[in-house]
Amino acid sequence: PAGKKNVVFIDDLNMPKKEYYGAQPPIELLRQWHDYHGWYSRKDLQMKEIIDIVHVSAMGPPGGGRTEITGRLKRHYNTVVATEPSAESVVHMFGTLLNHFFGLGFPESVRNLAAPLVEGAIAIFDAARQELLPTPQQSHYTFNLRDIWKVFQGVCTLVAKKVDQPVTVVRCFCHENIRVLGDRLINEKDRVWLRAEIDKTL
């Protein structure tokens, strides 16, 4: 409609793999639109101008399948960078959550698990981010703090009246890690690695 713009969101902008000489055709197509506001039709050799479009893109730092994109494209964007919270802040956030939940009628032996569970979840999460890197074949191997939250969301479904031993909580914690992280793994090698990492953390 006249007077309105269409917003196109492109996630994982730096995911296209570089060719032998360093070119990234998908990136170059986007750059062409930014430079010329359209593309030439190969059929009738006429310029097809595309108007009232706004591009919004997101990408992670280069590494693990993500590449450095050309400055010829980056110059068209206003860059906003979001930093992650510090390790102390993450421990404080999830520690407060678990301490409050375990304080709602759970025995003391279970309440004492709050700090070790938080440290264990963060250790597994950090190891997964370092070892299970995204590639073009497994671009969904991206992990963020929502994954830790989902693990503890599952743990917080426990009912105090039915939990009288710490081992029940630990079993639930392991199950939630496998559910949240393991369900997105695409091969047995990665699943075996995750189980070994959980065993090592315990």
Side-chain angles (χ1 to χ4, degrees), residues 6-198:
N6 184 30
V7 178
V8 178
F9 177 71
I10 304 166
D11 200 6
D12 290 323
L13 180 65
N14 58 345
M15 190 59 80
K17 186 177 180 181
K18 289 189 176 183
E19 295 179 345
Y20 182 77
Y21 291 105
Q24 294 170 282
I27 297 292
E28 291 305 317
L29 276 174
L30 285 174
R31 184 195 58 77
Q32 272 189 335
W33 180 87
H34 281 286
D35 284 342
Y36 306 111
H37 300 290
W39 296 280
Y40 275 96
S41 168
R42 294 171 60 181
K43 187 175 181 180
D44 54 14
L45 301 180
Q46 295 293 318
M47 181 68 174
K48 302 290 185 181
E49 189 175 359
I50 302 172
I51 62 172
D52 294 333
I53 297 287
V54 176
H55 277 186
V56 178
S57 301
M59 65 181 187
R66 296 189 182 103
T67 60
E68 183 70 41
I69 66 170
T70 174
R72 297 167 71 195
L73 175 65
K74 280 192 288 191
R75 69 191 171 99
H76 292 289
Y77 286 94
N78 294 316
T79 305
V80 178
V81 179
T83 58
E84 292 193 3
S86 66
E88 294 79 14
S89 297
V90 175
V91 169
H92 179 72
M93 283 189 295
F94 293 111
T96 302
L97 172 76
L98 268 195
N99 281 318
H100 171 72
F101 177 70
F102 286 158
L104 302 175
F106 286 87
E108 185 177 354
S109 58
V110 171
R111 292 198 298 270
N112 292 336
L113 283 177
L117 288 181
V118 170
E119 292 173 9
I122 293 172
I124 294 168
F125 169 74
D126 286 341
R129 285 211 302 185
Q130 290 174 5
E131 295 293 328
L132 304 174
L133 300 173
T135 64
Q137 291 79 25
Q138 51 198 43
S139 59
H140 61 288
Y141 276 28
T142 53
F143 306 97
N144 55 51
L145 290 180
R146 282 195 300 267
D147 297 314
I148 301 179
W149 159 244
K150 288 175 186 172
V151 169
F152 289 124
Q153 189 177 31
V155 171
C156 289
T157 60
L158 292 170
V159 179
K161 292 179 180 179
K162 297 182 180 180
V163 177
D164 55 357
Q165 294 182 358
V167 67
T168 306
V169 179
V170 173
R171 284 177 181 156
C172 179
F173 173 78
C174 294
H175 168 76
E176 292 301 323
N177 273 287
I178 292 172
R179 180 184 66 83
V180 172
L181 302 176
D183 282 359
R184 75 177 72 168
L185 304 182
I186 62 172
N187 56 52
E188 190 61 25
K189 176 188 170 188
D190 291 343
R191 287 189 282 269
V192 168
W193 176 88
L194 178 62
R195 292 190 195 101
E197 194 64 32
I198 293 173

